[in-house]
Amino acid sequence: MSRGAVPLQETPVAFERVTMHFGTRPVLVDFSCEFPGNRISVVLGGSGAGKTTILRLIGGLIQPQHGRIWVAGTNVVGLSERQLYEVRRKLGMMFQGGALLNSLTVYENLAFPLREHTRLSEREIADRVHATLAAVGLRGVDHLLPGELSGGMVKRAALARAILRDPQILLCDEPFSGLDPISVKRIEALLRRINQERGITMIVSSHHIPSTMRMAHHVVLLWDHKAIQGTPQELAASPDPQIADFFNEEVHEEGVREPQHTPVQRW
Amino acid sequence: MRFVLELGRIAAFTADVARAVVTPPPRLGAFVAELFNIGVLSLLIICVSGAAVGMVLGLQGYNTLVRFGAEESLGAVVGLSLIRELGPVLTALLTTGRAGSATTAEIGTMVATEQLDGLRMLAIDPVHLVVAPKALAMIAAMPLLSALFIVCGLAGGYVVGVALMGVDAGNYVSSLQNAVDFRDDVLGSVLKACVFGVLVGLISTFRGYTCQPTSAGVAAATTSTVVVGSVSVLLFDYIITALWGV
Ligand SMILES: Nc1ncnc2c1ncn2[C@@H]1O[C@H](COP(=O)(O)OP(=O)(O)OP(=O)(O)O)[C@@H](O)[C@H]1O
Ligand SMILES: [Mg+2]
């Protein structure tokens, strides 16, 4: 919160007075926030608050009506698709539903971006793919299609594809949604380990309060089209009773409220 | 107003696809796989429909011609109607319903499940990898399927005319050979099929690529491909015939 001295261009990701509407419906209004480097930031908000929208804005998949969005030193607002591809080489994104290519096996899903962007030999590609799959705890799934994986395995495969090319910034959209409590803990541990070992800046969207309290260094709470930022402890101790409730209520009622919070998937 | 906007978007999309086609690396593997897909999807329906249409033409043609005592030119009637008109048009309509709708549904599903956005985030252009090979395969497949339709139709007409109605086999073939002009009829037929291929290829990929990212959106886009595709094939058929007399 007290990083005002650092210019926005040098923060890995920063939103500067961004306004984003879909039609007449506002999602972000004059929205500013920062995501510190080498840390895990969690974007928190209820269903439909705009978590996915924020990650898609960072990736340049959608463009806001106003404002600037700094990603690794570049303002991605108004860039052409070609310029965006340069920025995206520094990003990895894990989509809410995995977004793996359904017609390719897990192995091919990971191998083909390497074939597209590197001059590695087939052997080196195989080594890299298997090392990454092992890092996310997936073995023996090379020849399966995404449709043949369980929900948790899809998330892992998607995470593997996102970290495959060693991004500077990793975006994870709802890595915990639709998972049982044990898988949640496993994915959470995995994200923390990746953050520690590789020093990747992580931006994780979630509505899962307990895991946020455990893993987040920095929280961006989406509240009334604006951002409320701070450490998880700072936000839970917020003087605003509504915000404090948002945290504490869910911590106590975890497991009871959880199923109702499964987000409406886009498909 | 919305119509003009839509036209603009189709034009921009067409430019994107054209640019993707000439941008290296060429997606030969994907193109061949799509060509195979479209061909296999449409093979049976094209052969059966072609034969059926040829048989109807044989029967109708014979019944009409026999009134003027001109049944020996049955080959010419069946051949010219198939080559100049029915072959390319019916092939395009059938392909729209079979392969065009499948193309839209496939791309639309990829949009709805964020697979195309996933590619974008990997710095891979989805138009280049997914859309262009599908559109190109449709363009390449259409003349081939149309030729197949015509061949099956000629055979169907032969069976009805010669085997059933007793037209002389030599007359059927020679009247066909004499009537069909290579430049006017055959090249014109190929030209029509190519234009229809471009139409169906662009419409089906465009509808899928721009569909709403929900299951209802995919369904609507698929229906729209069939409707818009069929109507534009018929409209362009008239335009080509009026302009070039094919
Ligand atoms: N392509 C779109 N067209 C129109 N409205 C959209 C679109 N994408 C998102 N929205 C709207 O923007 C708002 C925020 O959507 P977003 O997907 O960012 O929510 P979210 O916080 O990720 O929710 P969830 O927890 O359900 O995933 C929603 O009200 C949604 O209806
Ligand atoms: Mg979401």
Side-chain angles (χ1 to χ4, degrees), chain B residues 52-223:
Chain B
V53 168
M55 286 161 73
V56 170
L57 278 178
L59 207 55
Q60 294 276 21
Y62 180 85
N63 287 337
T64 312
L65 288 172
V66 85
R67 290 189 213 163
F68 310 103
E71 63 266 28
E72 67 274 11
S73 31
L74 181 65
V77 170
V78 172
L80 284 182
S81 358
L82 276 174
I83 293 174
R84 293 174 63 102
E85 200 58 43
L86 294 176
V89 171
L90 291 182
T91 303
L93 293 181
L94 291 169
T95 312
T96 306
R98 190 69 186 85
S101 58
T103 301
T104 305
E106 205 176 324
I107 297 179
T109 306
M110 294 179 85
V111 170
T113 54
E114 300 188 310
Q115 292 179 53
L116 296 189
D117 283 335
L119 286 175
R120 288 197 185 93
M121 289 308 294
L122 294 169
I124 296 169
D125 181 5
V127 174
H128 192 246
L129 182 75
V130 178
V131 173
K134 281 190 197 292
L136 216 52
M138 189 72 82
I139 297 171
M142 200 64 87
L144 300 177
L145 291 172
S146 165
L148 184 68
F149 186 98
I150 291 169
V151 169
C152 291
L154 289 177
Y158 183 91
V159 167
V160 169
V162 175
L164 232 55
M165 297 300 178
V167 175
D168 181 59
N171 277 346
Y172 183 88
V173 176
S174 68
S175 81
L176 174 64
Q177 272 175 346
N178 290 335
V180 175
D181 178 73
F182 180 76
R183 248 201 69 199
D184 269 8
D185 301 327
V186 178
L187 282 191
S189 171
V190 173
L191 170 82
K192 265 191 185 176
C194 287
V195 172
F196 296 160
V198 172
L199 275 179
V200 177
L202 283 176
I203 289 172
S204 59
T205 49
F206 177 76
R207 286 292 166 198
Y209 191 70
T210 56
C211 89
Q212 290 299 311
T214 58
S215 45
V218 177
T222 307
T223 310

Side-chain angles (χ1 to χ4, degrees), chain A residues 110-250:
Chain A
L110 272 74
F112 93 88
L114 290 177
R115 287 194 201 112
E116 289 287 319
H117 293 303
T118 65
R119 298 233 157 273
L120 297 179
S121 69
E122 263 325 287
R123 227 202 131 66
E124 291 166 311
I125 288 178
D127 289 345
R128 179 101 163 250
V129 169
H130 288 130
T132 313
L133 283 175
V136 299
L138 275 181
R139 280 189 191 78
V141 296
D142 280 18
H143 301 294
L144 296 183
L145 292 170
E148 299 168 332
L149 301 178
S150 74
M153 288 159 94
V154 167
K155 299 255 181 206
R156 282 163 191 266
L159 181 59
R161 187 174 76 168
I163 61 174
L164 186 66
R165 290 193 298 128
D166 272 325
Q168 294 173 23
I169 300 165
L170 179 63
L171 312 171
C172 298
D173 196 6
E174 311 246 7
F176 310 122
S177 70
L179 295 185
D180 61 273
I182 297 181
S183 303
V184 167
K185 291 243 166 72
R186 285 205 190 126
I187 298 265
E188 186 190 318
L190 193 58
L191 290 176
R192 284 154 86 153
R193 210 184 70 224
I194 291 168
N195 170 254
Q196 272 159 21
E197 284 175 4
R198 309 193 184 200
I200 300 179
T201 302
M202 290 216 222
I203 303 177
V204 179
S205 88
S206 177
H207 53 246
H208 194 264
I209 308 281
S211 63
T212 303
M213 297 299 286
R214 289 192 294 263
M215 73 188 282
H217 301 120
H218 181 79
V219 174
V220 173
L221 175 64
L222 301 182
W223 198 261
D224 200 17
H225 313 306
K226 298 254 192 312
I228 300 171
Q229 311 184 70
T231 64
Q233 291 72 26
E234 277 169 3
L235 289 195
S238 163
D240 184 332
Q242 271 182 304
I243 294 172
D245 272 1
F246 185 84
F247 277 81
N248 299 318
E249 208 176 298
E250 305 228 1

Side-chain angles (χ1 to χ4, degrees), chain A residues 20-85:
Chain A
M20 179 79 214
H21 297 270
F22 288 106
T24 55
R25 181 177 190 157
V27 179
L28 307 176
V29 178
D30 204 14
F31 177 95
S32 300
C33 74
E34 290 165 47
F35 297 94
N38 303 20
R39 292 274 182 277
I40 300 179
S41 303
V42 174
V43 178
L44 209 56
S47 210
K51 302 179 292 294
T52 302
T53 302
I54 287 192
L55 298 187
R56 292 169 69 82
L57 281 168
I58 296 172
L61 293 173
I62 47 177
Q63 292 281 335
Q65 279 76 28
H66 294 289
R68 285 184 276 192
I69 300 168
W70 299 95
V71 180
T74 313
N75 175 15
V76 296
V77 177
L79 290 190
S80 72
E81 198 67 8
R82 186 169 296 275
Q83 292 166 316
L84 281 170
Y85 283 136

